[in-house]
Amino acid sequence: MYKLIKKLRNKKDWLILLSLWFFVQYFLLFTNGIKTDGEAVRVIGEANKLLNLGHLSAPNFAMYFLEISLIYLKLKIGFGYEIIILIHLILNAFALFYLYNFLLKLYASSTLSLIGCILLLVCYPYQLYNSFLYTESLFFSLSIIYSCYLLNIEQFNTKNAFTVLFFLLLLCITRPTGIFFAGASIVYLFFKLSGKMTALNRAFLFTALSAIALFVLNILMGTGGGIDILLPFKDERIICEVPTLPYEVNIKTSSNSNSLFGLIYYITHNFDQFIRLAWLKTMAFFGLVRSYYSFTHNLFIISFFYPLYIFVVFSIIKFRKAIPISFVYFLTLIIITWLSVVFSCDEWHNRFFLTLTPFLIIPALYLFKKQSH
């Protein structure tokens, strides 16, 4: 943290960010307290099983292991949950200052860098999870630190390659969606490192990487801990765990539905339903509003995120001839996350989408970067 603070070229920016960070975190913690219900019940339960039984209840909980291990240590040592929230907050602050330095390099503007970090801080649905015993706080912070590290690498070597793999492993044992960052990284590195390759070699490399990705995806789909991947289509749920039908519709499925082939079979044999649900899930994912949110909350997320969409589009148009290669990473991550919702369901509180918040802010503010001549 000290080295990051020293790197801040403008101490005034540091004071503004630190003051706002303290205010936001104190306000959210004071008004909401430490949240131990909801998903926290499951995470705490798994930590207790790890402590008492020596193992998790199912293999898929290994993809939430980082938060589970923190609660396990808390139970083992006897500290209160406050120590975990403190860890959340320290990592959140570290990620914020790491992001500032990345933006400073990308924008070449301390003003835009400060605005980008302030936007992330005032996005209270994003910051809210720091006081929750959920996996989101760790995941949000790690995803920022990892992404900024990856996109700052100019020359790849053995050391930073291992660092990248280490961070990806951390992300994947924090939330299952850590695999999305692996996918976005592969696409980004392909475009970054294959620029000098011949068209034939690039095509061969892309085909090989795609085959590996599909193979891994097929394995993950088949080891979902008893989860039926076609269930969101059987009872037409747009929001996860909220069926829109009181019964299961008779869709055509293959004998091995929990596989990549099974999903393709469903799409090709139930295309009308798939397209209709894909549209509704897309509207829920990018639209963000929920009927069970307050008017004020819906107004905030519309006012905050919708302009970012517009700015991202115009950034791409404005810099189309010299678009930063980092945009490949941002857009790939957005597309992969969106597709995961299309092929499953959206989260009740937009948690899938909220992961993308900094990766929308970064390309959105690039629109205001001064063009070099």
Side-chain angles (χ1 to χ4, degrees):
M1 174 65 76
Y2 176 70
K3 289 182 178 179
L4 280 177
I5 292 174
K6 282 186 68 177
K7 282 184 177 180
L8 285 171
R9 299 179 189 177
N10 192 331
K11 291 183 179 179
K12 188 177 179 181
D13 288 358
W14 171 70
L15 289 173
I16 292 171
L17 286 178
L18 190 59
S19 301
L20 183 59
W21 181 86
F22 269 113
F23 173 78
V24 168
Q25 306 307 333
Y26 176 79
F27 175 78
L28 292 176
L29 189 57
F30 179 79
T31 54
N32 295 283
I34 298 175
K35 190 172 179 64
T36 58
D37 57 356
E39 185 184 288
V41 173
R42 181 173 60 175
V43 178
I44 295 170
E46 289 301 317
N48 275 291
K49 288 177 182 176
L50 187 61
L51 179 66
N52 297 319
L53 303 177
H55 60 81
L56 302 172
S57 61
N60 57 303
F61 283 111
M63 292 181 284
Y64 304 91
F65 186 73
L66 195 57
E67 186 76 14
I68 291 172
S69 65
L70 289 181
I71 298 175
Y72 168 84
L73 289 174
K74 174 265 175 194
L75 295 171
K76 189 81 172 176
I77 299 172
F79 290 143
Y81 287 125
E82 292 81 5
I83 190 67
I84 298 176
I85 301 306
L86 180 62
I87 293 172
H88 286 181
L89 292 173
I90 291 173
L91 197 60
N92 178 270
F94 186 85
L96 181 70
F97 289 109
Y98 210 97
L99 177 65
Y100 178 93
N101 284 289
F102 173 78
L103 297 179
L104 197 60
K105 182 177 180 181
L106 181 66
Y107 298 146
S109 166
S110 60
T111 301
L112 285 178
S113 304
L114 180 62
I115 291 172
C117 290
I118 289 175
L119 283 173
L120 189 64
L121 277 175
V122 301
C123 184
Y124 79 89
Y126 183 91
Q127 298 294 335
L128 187 62
Y129 288 97
N130 291 325
S131 59
F132 287 26
L133 292 178
Y134 286 25
T135 56
E136 268 69 26
S137 181
L138 291 177
F139 190 71
F140 289 169
S141 299
L142 286 173
S143 67
I144 290 175
I145 296 168
Y146 165 72
S147 300
C148 292
Y149 177 83
L150 173 70
L151 299 176
N152 268 329
I153 296 175
E154 296 179 1
Q155 294 292 330
F156 277 86
N157 53 44
T158 304
K159 181 181 177 181
N160 53 42
F162 274 109
T163 304
V164 165
L165 290 174
F166 172 73
F167 268 117
L168 285 175
L169 176 61
L170 276 182
L171 285 169
C172 289
I173 63 171
T174 306
R175 282 195 64 77
T177 47
I179 196 68
F180 299 167
F181 286 86
S185 300
I186 291 172
V187 174
Y188 166 73
L189 292 173
F190 171 79
F191 281 97
K192 183 176 178 64
L193 302 178
S194 66
K196 297 180 180 179
M197 289 184 178
T198 63
L200 182 62
N201 286 339
R202 289 187 75 181
F204 175 79
L205 178 61
F206 182 79
T207 303
L209 291 174
S210 299
I212 293 171
L214 291 174
F215 176 74
V216 172
L217 178 61
N218 192 58
I219 292 176
L220 292 174
M221 291 173 69
T223 56
I227 297 173
D228 181 1
I229 64 171
L230 293 185
L231 182 59
F233 301 101
K234 292 176 180 177
D235 54 17
E236 299 196 348
R237 55 184 69 185
I238 309 303
I239 305 299
C240 295
E241 300 181 9
V242 184
T244 60
L245 297 176
Y247 55 87
E248 291 188 1
V249 295
N250 186 24
I251 59 174
K252 297 177 181 177
T253 61
S254 68
S255 57
N256 184 16
S257 58
N258 270 19
S259 66
L260 189 59
F261 170 78
L263 185 59
I264 294 172
Y265 183 94
Y266 159 76
I267 295 171
T268 55
H269 290 75
N270 306 270
F271 191 69
D272 289 345
Q273 187 208 40
F274 171 74
I275 290 297
R276 176 170 57 82
L277 293 178
W279 171 252
L280 294 174
K281 293 171 187 178
T282 298
M283 290 299 98
F285 181 72
F286 287 109
L288 295 168
V289 296
R290 302 283 195 260
S291 60
Y292 41 82
Y293 283 165
S294 68
F295 172 79
T296 305
H297 186 92
N298 279 329
L299 182 62
F300 175 85
I301 56 180
I302 289 173
S303 302
F304 187 92
F305 287 106
Y306 286 23
L308 293 182
Y309 298 160
I310 297 170
F311 293 160
V312 169
V313 172
F314 279 97
S315 290
I316 295 171
I317 294 172
K318 180 179 179 180
F319 293 96
R320 61 189 178 279
K321 294 183 179 178
I323 193 167
I325 193 169
S326 57
F327 274 49
V328 172
Y329 179 82
F330 303 138
L331 294 177
T332 302
L333 184 60
I334 292 168
I335 291 170
I336 290 175
T337 308
W338 162 64
L339 286 176
S340 73
V341 169
V342 167
F343 290 112
S344 56
C345 50
D346 199 8
E347 205 277 328
W348 179 269
H349 285 133
N350 306 116
R351 285 188 290 163
F352 298 153
F353 181 90
L354 286 174
T355 303
L356 302 175
T357 304
F359 310 111
L360 284 167
I361 292 173
I362 297 172
L365 287 185
Y366 201 80
L367 174 66
F368 305 97
K369 181 182 185 296
K370 291 182 180 179
Q371 289 179 289
S372 56
H373 298 285

